[in-house]
Amino acid sequence: MFLIGLYAGKKRFFQRINEIKPSLTKLWVVAGFCAIAGNAVFVWAYHLQNLFVPNLYNVVYAGTQIIAIPGMTLYYILSFCLVAGSQFGTKLFRLFAPMGKIALSNYVLQSLIQNILLFGFGFGLYGTVSPAQGILWCLGIYSAQLIFSH
């Protein structure tokens, strides 16, 4: 994935988004279909596989990874590209640009905060937090980082 991104940068792909928007839109639809369908099969096979006894679900699970994960990556990238090419996207991404400039620092801080909250050397809340609470925590941490990144 890294090499594909590097290649796209060398070919100035991101500077030509408006020029190739019709092709990107078609590719976005195909990538979205592959990503959603592939991930649905991926999750289905994941729950039916048996790591100790080889079966068909193991093969389906491994095979759909080849389609689903790159498909979802491409879908995300194309979504960002299509949104970035609009006036709304330009304004929106300007808001998030400072956070991207210190992405590694933000990633490490997120990991540190979550580890302290969830594991035994901190508050030990792992297993006691509902998915809804987890999403709210993540949004709160992300929002605080967005403010401090500016």
Side-chain angles (χ1 to χ4, degrees):
M1 295 301 157
F2 172 77
L3 292 175
I4 292 170
L6 184 63
Y7 176 77
K10 292 276 186 192
K11 292 293 184 180
R12 303 188 55 75
F13 171 82
F14 301 105
Q15 287 77 18
R16 301 181 359 218
I17 289 173
N18 288 330
E19 174 189 327
I20 56 176
K21 197 170 198 169
S23 299
L24 289 182
T25 304
K26 290 175 188 171
L27 185 57
W28 178 77
V29 171
V30 171
F33 175 77
C34 289
I36 292 168
N39 277 297
V41 174
F42 174 75
V43 170
W44 169 77
Y46 173 79
H47 289 291
L48 295 173
Q49 72 172 340
N50 185 338
L51 296 175
F52 303 107
V53 179
N55 61 29
L56 180 61
Y57 299 114
N58 295 23
V59 175
V60 171
Y61 171 74
T64 53
Q65 283 183 315
I66 296 167
I67 296 169
I69 294 171
M72 188 60 80
T73 301
L74 184 60
Y75 182 73
Y76 285 147
I77 291 169
L78 292 172
S79 296
F80 281 116
C81 288
L82 291 171
V83 170
S86 67
Q87 285 182 331
F88 170 75
T90 303
K91 291 177 184 176
L92 181 67
F93 288 159
R94 233 182 255 138
L95 173 69
F96 290 99
M99 193 162 185
K101 290 179 183 176
I102 54 171
L104 178 61
S105 298
N106 281 316
Y107 170 74
V108 170
L109 185 60
Q110 285 172 8
S111 298
L112 182 65
I113 291 169
Q114 293 293 6
N115 274 289
I116 290 171
L117 289 172
L118 296 174
F119 296 114
F121 57 85
F123 294 99
L125 298 174
Y126 184 80
T128 65
V129 178
S130 73
Q133 290 171 320
I135 289 171
L136 290 175
W137 280 8
C138 291
L139 288 174
I141 292 167
Y142 190 86
S143 298
Q145 286 184 306
L146 185 60
I147 291 167
F148 288 116
S149 293
H150 281 271

